[in-house]
Amino acid sequence: MLRRVGPSLRHFLLERKSSAGYSSYSGKAKMSRPVQARRLEGIDKNIWVELVQLAATYSTVDLGQGFPDFPPPDFLTEAAVRALSGENHMLHQYTRAFGHPPLVKVLAQFFGKLLGRDLDPMTNVMVTVGAYQALFYCFQAFIDEGDEVIIIEPFFDCYEPMVKMAGGLPVFVPLRPKAPKDGKLMSSADWQLDPAELASKFSEQTKAIVLNSPNNPLGKVYSRGELELIADLCVKHDVLCISDEVYEWLVYDGKEHIRIASLRGMWDRTVTIGSAGKTFSATGWKVGWTVGPNRLLQHIRTVHQNSVYHCATLAQDAVAQGFQRELELYGKPESYFIQLPTELQKKRDWLVQSLDAVGMKPIVPEGTYFLVADISQFKSDVPDVPDSDEPYDSRFAKWMVKNKGLATIPLSSFYCGAHKNYSHFVRFCFAKEDATLKAANDILQKWKQEKTSP
């Protein structure tokens, strides 16, 4: 049996802790220097965090967040099951860092067909953790301190902070609405760029322009003429185009989605971004991609290999199987890329009628699964607050989710702080089950009756 000699370690530490010298040292050990990197200044607040929390707390119907509440197609989930439980155990391990070979190969085939050019799957396609990461990579790869990046308002809210994190300077140009004729409902096509105003935003410091067509939140699908205007300015000023086309298959009323990379002079200066989440109604899978010339994608690969490096193999394999099916069925009625927009157009039309009936004038979207509506007629329920720093639509959206149980997103969230001009609109997502949309309609109809009751 060993005898313990001298004071125990515990006794020694307790004596040290009680000494004045240790207390003084402990106080000095707390960090006092600033820890936040300068690149995070001014981008820490995000209204989405607050709105999502409010929706989770109060809403009975959430038409705010942009994801479907219906399942992905059976062929995709079956592909996921095969990938997960099949005999190829290597699908549980790392795959090629820049994209699972079966996925980049079918993406190269598919988008090569759409763009009318031969694509090398190893150099012209790269897979990312969702389109969100693809956007981040583009700004990190191409934007230096002081570079200007043109952003068209309204815009998907991550563009501005991502540009700033890269050291760039966002330059904003708005889509301006034109009143429709003959009392018709406004369309997203009525929101247009002013050619002279757009041209004035290009300068020697302009490095890139961000294009989002179909556009979130408006649902605008840019026409060939509008895209040619942008393309001509890009060529004239030798500017890159970061083209966010995640809603490329969600276009309605016979509209055509035109890829700006297919226009004259644009392939060499465009990175096109896509999303399996939007394409196959599986936003939680987080599989995205970039398509473009090797001279651009090589720099995106550099960012990727020094950050995330790898995307989930199983999800990539299932998406590859989904695209292989769609490649074989391209243009046929059985194609999911035809069936999904057909179904969503019905949901859009139903929500348009529902909103119009209660006095929330909708802007009919040409694409995406979002719809913006004018809430001006409801100001009596939520009176304006003079000199308030908070946009009216933001206060309205918060009031509506708390008091009516219906969650939406204020349009001002899609404008920069200095240009929140259109603060009497909210955005609805209609990629929802019919029962969800009916529940929203019930809330609106009850609200209308309360407003008209003596």
Side-chain angles (χ1 to χ4, degrees):
M1 180 176 176
L2 295 174
R3 294 178 61 189
R4 186 170 56 191
V5 180
S8 68
L9 176 62
R10 179 175 179 274
H11 179 75
F12 171 77
L13 291 174
L14 286 172
E15 280 191 347
R16 184 181 179 193
K17 184 175 181 181
S18 64
S19 69
Y22 183 81
S23 298
S24 174
Y25 175 80
S26 178
K28 290 179 180 178
K30 294 181 180 179
M31 286 195 70
S32 59
R33 66 162 57 183
V35 295
Q36 176 182 295
R38 287 193 304 274
R39 61 181 170 273
L40 300 184
E41 291 176 1
I43 65 171
D44 53 331
K45 293 182 180 179
N46 188 318
I47 191 175
W48 291 78
V49 175
E50 181 180 4
L51 291 170
V52 169
Q53 181 60 47
L54 286 172
T57 304
Y58 294 100
S59 77
T60 54
V61 181
D62 187 356
L63 300 189
Q65 286 188 277
F67 56 81
D69 67 352
F70 49 79
D74 289 344
F75 67 81
L76 193 73
T77 54
E78 290 165 2
V81 170
R82 286 194 298 272
L84 181 64
S85 58
E87 296 181 358
N88 185 1
H89 63 274
M90 291 308 295
L91 292 179
H92 297 275
Q93 310 304 328
Y94 294 134
T95 185
R96 175 176 172 269
F98 305 120
H100 190 44
L103 179 55
V104 293
K105 287 177 182 177
V106 72
L107 288 174
Q109 285 180 279
F110 204 102
F111 286 97
K113 180 176 183 176
L114 297 173
L115 292 167
R117 62 173 59 244
D118 292 330
L119 299 184
D120 184 334
M122 300 299 145
T123 60
N124 295 139
V125 181
M126 196 193 86
V127 177
T128 57
V129 181
Y132 209 89
Q133 188 183 57
L135 287 162
F136 183 79
Y137 280 176
C138 284
F139 297 123
Q140 290 295 315
F142 304 130
I143 305 305
D144 279 324
E145 196 82 24
D147 285 342
E148 293 182 356
V149 179
I150 297 172
I151 298 175
I152 301 170
E153 296 179 303
F155 58 90
F156 184 45
D157 69 304
C158 75
Y159 299 161
E160 180 182 6
M162 285 185 180
V163 168
K164 289 180 176 179
M165 284 185 70
L169 301 173
V171 175
F172 301 97
V173 59
L175 291 164
R176 298 191 181 276
K178 296 183 178 180
K181 298 178 180 179
D182 304 324
K184 294 181 179 180
L185 290 175
M186 183 176 285
S187 163
S188 58
D190 295 319
W191 292 61
Q192 300 175 6
L193 289 165
D194 179 296
E197 185 177 19
L198 175 63
S200 73
K201 302 297 181 179
F202 284 78
S203 70
E204 291 183 359
Q205 286 73 46
T206 305
K207 184 69 174 289
I209 184 171
V210 184
L211 173 68
N212 178 210
S213 180
N215 167 269
N216 173 17
L218 279 177
K220 177 180 175 63
V221 177
Y222 284 74
S223 68
R224 180 174 293 275
E226 290 172 314
L227 293 175
E228 288 175 345
L229 168 67
I230 296 169
D232 289 345
L233 288 167
C234 287
V235 172
K236 178 180 178 180
H237 295 276
D238 199 21
V239 165
L240 293 171
C241 180
I242 300 169
S243 188
D244 180 354
E245 301 183 19
V246 297
Y247 299 101
E248 58 192 320
W249 301 107
L250 308 184
V251 291
Y252 314 121
D253 304 317
K255 291 284 183 179
E256 178 188 9
H257 170 64
I258 299 170
R259 294 164 175 80
I260 196 168
S262 68
L263 301 186
R264 183 174 58 87
M266 290 304 294
W267 165 255
D268 197 48
R269 64 181 69 251
T270 301
V271 174
T272 302
I273 295 171
S275 162
K278 307 303 188 296
T279 297
F280 291 113
S281 307
T283 59
W285 288 26
K286 296 298 290 182
V287 176
W289 55 83
T290 59
V291 174
N294 184 51
R295 64 178 291 271
L296 298 182
L297 262 59
Q298 64 179 330
H299 305 301
I300 296 176
R301 290 195 294 269
T302 299
V303 179
H304 183 64
Q305 73 190 26
N306 290 292
S307 54
V308 173
Y309 189 73
H310 185 271
C311 308
T313 307
L314 286 168
Q316 290 188 71
D317 194 75
V319 171
Q321 293 182 53
F323 261 107
Q324 189 61 52
R325 174 191 187 273
E326 290 303 302
L327 180 62
E328 294 167 3
L329 294 176
Y330 183 73
K332 298 179 180 178
E334 305 95 310
S335 168
Y336 187 69
F337 296 169
I338 290 178
Q339 293 177 346
L340 179 60
T342 299
E343 185 62 28
L344 286 174
Q345 182 169 329
K346 296 175 185 176
K347 296 178 183 292
R348 178 205 68 173
D349 293 346
W350 197 89
L351 184 58
V352 164
Q353 293 174 7
S354 176
L355 291 170
D356 190 34
V358 299
M360 284 191 186
K361 293 300 180 184
I363 299 170
V364 183
E366 306 158 280
T368 75
Y369 44 54
F370 300 114
L371 182 158
V372 170
D374 189 332
I375 55 175
S376 298
Q377 293 188 28
F378 287 76
K379 281 200 170 184
S380 60
D381 289 3
V382 190
D384 209 346
V385 177
D387 303 321
S388 173
D389 292 333
E390 184 176 20
Y392 176 78
D393 59 351
S394 176
R395 288 188 294 105
F396 181 93
K398 293 175 185 177
W399 179 91
M400 184 164 65
V401 71
K402 290 179 180 179
N403 292 275
K404 302 298 179 182
L406 179 59
T408 60
I409 301 294
L411 187 62
S412 60
S413 304
F414 302 90
Y415 284 84
C416 77
H419 297 93
K420 295 185 183 292
N421 301 316
Y422 303 104
S423 61
H424 53 283
F425 294 95
V426 293
R427 190 200 74 174
F428 295 84
C429 174
F430 56 86
K432 306 296 180 182
E433 296 274 14
D434 290 347
T436 306
L437 295 175
K438 183 182 183 302
N441 179 67
D442 291 343
I443 291 173
L444 293 170
Q445 289 294 335
K446 182 179 178 182
W447 190 359
K448 180 185 178 182
Q449 290 173 6
E450 291 170 353
K451 287 173 65 66
T452 56
S453 297

